[in-house]
Amino acid sequence: MYLRKTQRRNRDGSVVRYLQLANNRRVGGTTQAEVLVNLGREDNLDVDALRRLIASINRYLGDADDVCAPLGAETGPLSVDSARPVGAIWLLDGLWRMLEIDKALAGVLGTRRFRTDVERVIFALVANRAIAPSSKLAAADWVTHTVAIPGLDGMDEDQAYRAMDLLVSADTQGEVSRAVFFSAANLLNLEVDLIFFDTTSTYFERDGEAETDGKGGGGLRRFGHSKDHRRDLPQIVIGLAVTREGIPVRVWVWPGNTSDMTVIEQVKDDLRDWRLGRVVTVTDSGFSSRENMAYLQRAGGHYICGVKMREGSGQAAEALSRQGRYQQVRDNLRVKEVKLASDPGRRWIICHNPVEAERDKTRRDAQLEAIGQELERIAAARAADLNKAQAKAARQGKQRVSAKPADAVHRRAECALRDHPSLGRWLKQHPSTGRLSSDGAKVKAEANLDGKYLIATSDPDLTPEDVALGYKNLLEAEAAFRTMKTTLDLRPVYHRLDERITAHVLLCWLALLLIRVAERRTGHSWRTINRELSRIHEVTLAGPAGRLTQTTTLTPAQAQLFKDCGIAPPPKMSGLQPTE
């Protein structure tokens, strides 16, 4: 930041000079001067007012300078008008502009003009979701009174909802997602040969489903299989595609009763329109129907998918029964490729994790021990009750003893054990007596699957190691969902209109994109980045000479975070407003 002189030559040959407060900013590969304040003509400049401002600044910095103080003038004390956190928001705004999300939004919104800057309002909602997730009313108050958003002094709830509606209308055909993806891919050099796709669900704090349009359509809020274990509440299904680096590239929203098997065609078609070239789609076993796999192979595409091993699939059983040597990939991963004559178009990769195998065995042994103890307790209690009944009958002189009342109690205990969510799978009920015992055949069958998972792929070029490691990277999609549901507070959702529901998910997706880029570049979790940078405040000082905005001094750790992300830190001083 510096004082800059400019001049203008009049027709009569006289020269008029002007004084400006300027700052150099790097735009692309060039440096451009940005004028912060025009101080006016040099011959009309109030030098004493400028000296008073300099003295006020020096006093705040602790560097008193008597030379700058005007003789016989009282500069007066400085007062702090406001102090707002700016560090984390400044980093997110820098990433937002670096990824050219602002240009992408401007491109899809077109030439329409609005009374407020819609792009700034959308960014403010995204920043709120990443830093302090809250409702749209609370977010408007947060932007207006709590934090400093570059280019936005404040907003209200109506402006927030208006921006959300415009975001959804602009992304009707995925224009925003497409523009954001290609900006991020070009800048971050993303590898998009593998696309990882998964779905999750999130619920609403409402009792009923959405109203339909009377024709069997409309309404995202539907009851369905809840992955949040909230079947009592309506929900939506969310699909997310991420790269192998964990960068989310697109998000989808479907009604809550949508089955995973029915969405692959739409995902494939939407990504095909982006013309990404050769793409291998990675999914889990919930999408592994023959129809879905055949659709993923259209237009030269390929897939890597998990295969369910415990549901009686003939091909899975045949693949697991094949002999062969495992190849050591890592300390905790071995792979073996087998081929089936019944399905020559697919490759089958058996993966074995010794650590996970030992964990499965330990867990199963503990459950079998608990089952044995419970069955022994029930048998002992039944025998004790029968002995009591026999003793009572003997005292009464009865010849026969009825064990039905006591036996009914013990049968209820056995039924509760049989229906136990984790222990019941190891039990079988004998048809003749109705008694329970451990199912040795099932225990043996499960022991053969300890630490194993089965993968099928249509790609003829990938090595078994690449297939196995590619499938393991599907955890990136699961990690993205965890971040959306915890850090970004995706759930619960309180919106009623479908457009607002979709906009809420889009805002969470954009926030996830920014924090994933920040985590990838710094090597720190977003929780750590947010905590460290939120300590940077923008302080507005006021005095007789004018107003000035100053940023607190950065610590080495804070400066390093900005450097790692390639974002210039906030300026030390800005917003100079001399008193008229």
Side-chain angles (χ1 to χ4, degrees):
M1 189 177 298
Y2 57 94
L3 288 177
R4 174 190 180 192
K5 284 186 180 181
T6 60
Q7 64 181 23
R8 175 176 60 85
R9 184 176 297 276
N10 296 326
R11 292 182 179 180
D12 58 1
S14 61
V15 177
V16 180
R17 293 182 175 84
Y18 297 87
L19 195 63
Q20 300 169 334
L21 183 63
N23 182 42
N24 285 336
R25 294 186 61 184
R26 179 168 290 276
V27 179
T30 62
T31 301
Q32 297 182 2
E34 178 185 15
V35 177
L36 301 178
V37 179
N38 284 309
L39 299 177
R41 290 177 53 162
E42 187 178 24
D43 52 347
N44 296 331
L45 182 66
D46 188 348
V47 179
D48 290 340
L50 189 60
R51 287 174 176 169
R52 289 195 298 270
L53 179 59
I54 295 173
S56 299
I57 296 173
N58 287 335
R59 183 177 293 105
Y60 173 75
L61 297 176
D63 300 328
D65 187 357
D66 294 335
V67 176
C68 296
L71 297 176
E74 293 293 335
T75 59
L78 286 175
S79 62
V80 178
D81 274 9
S82 64
R84 301 187 178 191
V86 72
I89 295 173
W90 189 272
L91 178 70
L92 293 176
D93 186 54
L95 295 175
W96 178 273
R97 298 180 187 277
M98 182 182 68
L99 297 175
E100 298 183 351
I101 301 178
D102 54 338
K103 295 181 180 179
L105 290 174
V108 297
L109 290 175
T111 58
R112 291 176 290 180
R113 296 186 177 275
F114 307 97
R115 304 173 77 181
T116 57
D117 191 339
V118 176
E119 179 270 330
R120 287 287 84 191
V121 175
I122 293 176
F123 168 73
L125 294 174
V126 171
N128 173 259
R129 190 55 49 183
I131 297 173
S134 57
S135 67
K136 302 305 175 287
L137 176 61
D141 182 79
W142 180 77
V143 170
T144 305
H145 302 290
T146 304
V147 296
I149 302 291
L152 185 65
D153 294 331
M155 68 178 189
D156 55 33
E157 185 182 15
D158 291 338
Q159 292 171 339
Y161 283 125
R162 175 60 173 160
M164 292 174 64
D165 295 341
L166 290 169
L167 176 62
V168 174
S169 65
D171 197 50
T172 303
Q173 301 299 327
E175 290 91 345
V176 174
S177 302
R178 177 187 177 92
V180 170
F181 166 72
F182 281 104
S183 296
N186 293 334
L187 187 64
L188 302 177
N189 296 321
L190 297 181
E191 298 182 13
V192 292
D193 55 339
L194 290 181
I195 294 292
F196 301 89
F197 175 77
D198 201 359
T199 62
T200 189
S201 61
T202 188
Y203 54 85
F204 293 78
E205 289 293 348
R206 299 177 65 89
D207 295 333
E209 294 184 335
E211 300 79 9
T212 62
D213 56 7
K215 301 179 181 180
L220 291 176
R221 299 193 313 274
R222 288 287 180 267
F223 289 105
H225 173 66
S226 175
K227 298 182 180 181
D228 295 325
H229 307 289
R230 293 303 304 269
R231 296 184 179 181
D232 58 319
L233 296 175
Q235 65 177 17
I236 57 172
V237 174
I238 300 172
L240 190 65
V242 302
T243 66
R244 65 170 68 200
E245 296 87 359
I247 305 298
V249 296
R250 185 153 185 179
V251 68
W252 293 265
V253 182
W254 295 290
N257 57 358
T258 304
S259 170
D260 286 350
M261 290 293 184
T262 63
V263 301
I264 283 294
E265 293 187 8
Q266 179 183 348
V267 172
K268 171 68 174 178
D269 292 343
D270 290 344
L271 294 179
R272 182 185 58 208
D273 292 340
W274 289 6
R275 295 178 176 84
L276 299 178
R278 179 181 179 275
V279 172
V280 180
T281 306
V282 186
T283 65
D284 65 10
S285 57
F287 307 90
S288 59
S289 68
R290 299 288 297 184
E291 295 77 10
N292 284 340
M293 299 302 100
Y295 202 86
L296 289 176
Q297 287 185 267
R298 292 188 177 185
H302 290 287
Y303 63 82
I304 298 174
C305 72
V307 179
K308 296 179 180 179
M309 301 184 297
R310 294 175 173 84
E311 296 188 358
S313 170
Q315 289 181 323
E318 183 182 356
L320 291 170
S321 64
R322 290 297 180 92
Q323 301 296 320
R325 290 181 176 272
Y326 281 102
Q327 174 188 352
Q328 192 74 29
V329 175
R330 293 183 179 178
D331 293 340
N332 60 343
L333 181 61
R334 302 188 303 163
V335 298
K336 177 175 64 174
E337 180 176 359
V338 298
K339 296 182 179 180
L340 304 182
S342 60
D343 193 358
R346 288 207 285 183
R347 301 167 58 199
W348 301 80
I349 312 297
I350 303 174
C351 303
H352 179 253
N353 186 333
V355 177
E356 187 65 26
E358 184 63 28
R359 187 180 296 115
D360 290 342
K361 181 180 183 303
T362 302
R363 186 185 304 113
R364 184 177 58 254
D365 291 344
Q367 292 175 346
L368 292 175
E369 183 180 358
I371 289 173
Q373 292 175 356
E374 181 64 14
L375 291 177
E376 290 178 1
R377 186 194 66 79
I378 293 174
R382 181 185 294 110
D385 290 343
L386 182 60
N387 291 335
K388 290 180 181 180
Q390 289 175 345
K392 183 178 180 181
R395 289 194 300 270
Q396 295 176 352
K398 295 181 179 180
Q399 297 297 325
R400 299 184 63 182
V401 178
S402 176
K404 289 184 177 180
D407 195 50
V409 175
H410 302 304
R411 285 190 179 276
R412 285 197 295 270
E414 288 183 329
C415 290
L417 181 61
R418 181 194 61 194
D419 296 336
H420 193 278
S422 60
L423 302 182
R425 59 184 301 206
W426 308 114
L427 294 169
K428 66 178 180 179
Q429 191 169 19
H430 297 275
S432 58
T433 63
R435 302 302 178 192
L436 297 178
S437 65
S438 297
D439 190 342
K442 191 166 188 178
V443 171
K444 183 178 179 180
E446 285 293 323
N448 292 331
L449 300 179
D450 284 350
K452 295 179 182 178
Y453 54 96
L454 183 61
I455 307 172
T457 181
S458 63
D459 193 297
D461 301 322
L462 292 175
T463 65
E465 177 181 356
D466 291 337
V467 173
L469 296 179
Y471 183 75
K472 287 191 68 175
N473 281 342
L474 188 61
L475 295 174
E476 292 290 350
E478 298 176 3
F481 283 132
R482 286 195 298 271
T483 301
M484 291 179 72
K485 291 184 177 182
T486 56
T487 304
L488 306 181
D489 278 0
L490 170 69
R491 61 183 183 188
V493 184
Y494 294 92
H495 296 292
R496 180 178 59 86
L497 300 177
D498 288 354
E499 295 79 7
R500 303 280 171 79
I501 296 169
T502 304
H504 175 74
V505 177
L506 287 173
L507 292 175
C508 291
W509 163 64
L510 289 172
L512 178 64
L513 171 64
L514 295 180
I515 67 176
R516 278 291 182 265
V517 173
E519 289 175 339
R520 181 187 174 202
R521 292 200 161 192
T522 62
H524 297 285
S525 67
W526 174 247
R527 186 184 300 274
T528 301
I529 298 171
N530 185 23
R531 182 179 63 248
E532 185 66 34
L533 295 186
S534 292
R535 297 166 181 160
I536 304 174
H537 281 64
E538 183 181 272
V539 182
T540 301
L541 306 172
R547 297 167 59 86
L548 175 70
T549 300
Q550 181 163 347
T551 305
T552 55
T553 304
L554 272 62
T555 65
Q558 294 166 350
Q560 187 63 42
L561 290 175
F562 283 109
K563 182 179 179 181
D564 292 340
C565 290
I567 304 299
K572 183 66 177 178
M573 290 182 290
S574 60
L576 177 62
Q577 299 176 4
T579 301
E580 293 294 337

